[in-house]
Amino acid sequence: MPDSSDLRLLASAGTACLAQADALQQTLVRVHSAAAPSTAPASADERALLTMVRSQTRHKIWGDCALGLLNMGVHVADHVRALGQLLAHVREQGAPVYAHATLARGAVESVAWLWWLLADGEQFEARFGRGIAFLIEDAGLAAKAADQVPGAAYLLPPGAQEQARQLALLARLDDARIERVMDRPGTRVKMVRVVRSGAGYSTSVKVSTLIPQAFPSMPALYDLLSGVAHARQWGLIDPVSVSGGRVASWRADPVAVSNSALICLQAAQRAGRLFAGYRGHPQDLAVQQMQQRHDSLDRQMVRFGRSAGYLDHIRPVDGLLTNR
């Protein structure tokens, strides 16, 4: 069981995560329920769609892309809420030893995809091209996974169904005159173009390359979280202690757990900011309050770290344990 000062920090982190998840969910509902102002990027994208060839078909494809973005927003909120729920019972059940990093990693990955797909500050062509490339790669991965699932007495093997969905997507893209560029063997779509002679958008973008760009002040973020989530020995070694060479014990690290909470708070805030900005509300009050919630836990962690001697030789980093 953590010490009393540890418990206070972890309880605060849990409360902040629950509130942040609620704020993100409410922000998603609010900014998408209201009509976007004419100056919003979302409105500009609608106007751009109207000028494109096969506008109606492309509009439906863009709707699929937009639904995927909302799925990612909910994915962020869900992981942040899950960490809050874990920490809500820390006094009775103890703190998670490793699971906190896996939850933070899930939230961070979705935010990185959102950052890339919403392409803040770029033209609609970039959002549309990236969204379609993501749909193609996603459909291919779904078909590949389904092919490995055998049938059962009560369930047909799903491979044929997923392959049909993949082919239907490609047919819709052909109908919308979306150009597909194949790889050298001709078996896989490697790139798409939504404008004739325009830029090509790769279907092979990896989230591991996006996270350092989406979180530039924390370049090792993905590797550190993945070391725990993928059960690498170097990621699991810190919480364990061995006495007498025979007896091992594990204890949750309050700083590591709170770091994951702080990362989750930032991920939720960034997701809310991306959606609010895209829908024409860059100064959304709830998003500002989400940033304040992150900053508050950040300051509490700094006070805790100093009082416990953790920060004596650690230089604060922008966005994480900042000196404020």
Side-chain angles (χ1 to χ4, degrees):
M1 178 64 68
D3 298 333
S4 58
S5 59
D6 298 353
L7 285 173
R8 286 193 294 272
L9 176 64
L10 294 173
S12 295
T15 300
C17 283
L18 291 173
Q20 199 83 328
D22 288 343
L24 175 56
Q25 183 174 351
Q26 293 162 8
T27 298
L28 290 174
V29 172
R30 185 178 65 259
V31 301
H32 283 87
S33 298
S38 60
T39 55
S43 298
D45 287 356
E46 290 291 330
R47 293 192 294 270
L49 268 172
L50 294 175
T51 66
M52 288 184 163
V53 298
R54 311 293 290 178
S55 176
Q56 187 173 3
T57 303
R58 290 186 173 216
H59 198 283
K60 293 178 180 178
I61 295 171
W62 177 238
D64 291 339
C65 297
L67 180 60
L69 292 170
L70 286 173
N71 288 340
M72 293 174 193
V74 174
H75 189 256
V76 175
D78 193 46
H79 280 69
V80 177
R81 180 174 289 105
L83 181 53
Q85 291 286 1
L86 275 178
L87 298 180
H89 303 288
V90 67
R91 296 183 185 276
E92 301 86 7
Q93 301 176 8
V97 179
Y98 298 120
H100 57 87
T102 305
L103 292 168
R105 179 177 179 268
V108 164
E109 285 195 357
S110 277
V111 171
W113 280 122
L114 286 170
W115 171 82
W116 183 70
L117 291 167
L118 281 172
D120 184 33
E122 300 189 45
Q123 297 297 315
F124 173 62
E125 178 189 339
R127 282 184 284 279
F128 198 30
R130 291 177 181 181
I132 291 173
F134 187 87
L135 289 178
I136 291 174
E137 183 70 0
D138 189 67
L141 292 173
K144 180 180 178 180
D147 279 340
Q148 302 174 58
V149 180
Y154 51 86
L155 180 69
L156 293 174
Q161 182 179 10
E162 287 300 330
Q163 289 176 7
R165 290 179 181 176
Q166 182 184 22
L167 292 174
L169 171 63
L170 297 178
R172 289 171 59 201
L173 297 179
D174 289 341
D175 184 47
R177 296 183 186 174
I178 303 297
E179 181 183 355
R180 290 185 277 135
V181 181
M182 306 302 292
D183 61 4
R184 189 176 296 274
T187 58
R188 178 180 170 276
V189 181
K190 70 174 184 178
M191 185 181 298
V192 297
R193 290 190 179 92
V194 297
V195 175
R196 185 181 294 275
S197 301
Y201 298 94
S202 173
T203 61
S204 300
V205 175
K206 304 299 182 185
V207 74
S208 57
T209 66
L210 297 179
I211 290 176
Q213 301 173 58
F215 295 83
S217 64
M218 294 179 279
L221 180 61
Y222 178 79
D223 290 334
L224 292 173
L225 293 176
S226 293
V228 182
H230 288 154
R232 303 307 302 173
Q233 179 64 12
W234 64 264
L236 306 182
I237 195 68
D238 288 343
V240 64
S241 60
V242 180
S243 59
R246 297 179 62 185
V247 180
S249 60
W250 284 261
R251 183 178 186 274
D253 182 343
V255 173
V257 178
S258 299
N259 274 346
S260 289
L262 193 65
I263 290 166
C264 280
L265 296 181
Q266 189 171 70
Q269 191 274 340
R270 291 190 179 189
R273 185 183 68 193
L274 284 166
F275 278 110
Y278 179 69
R279 297 292 298 176
H281 305 282
Q283 304 301 321
D284 186 79
L285 178 60
V287 174
Q288 295 179 28
Q289 292 171 341
M290 292 168 75
Q291 182 63 53
Q292 293 167 4
R293 192 173 293 114
H294 168 276
D295 294 345
S296 177
L297 180 62
D298 186 8
R299 289 190 293 269
Q300 186 175 353
M301 288 180 63
V302 171
R303 291 193 298 269
F304 172 84
R306 285 175 178 160
S307 65
Y310 288 118
L311 300 182
D312 292 344
H313 305 290
I314 297 177
R315 181 174 61 86
V317 177
D318 180 34
L320 192 67
L321 293 175
T322 49
N323 189 16
R324 287 178 292 203

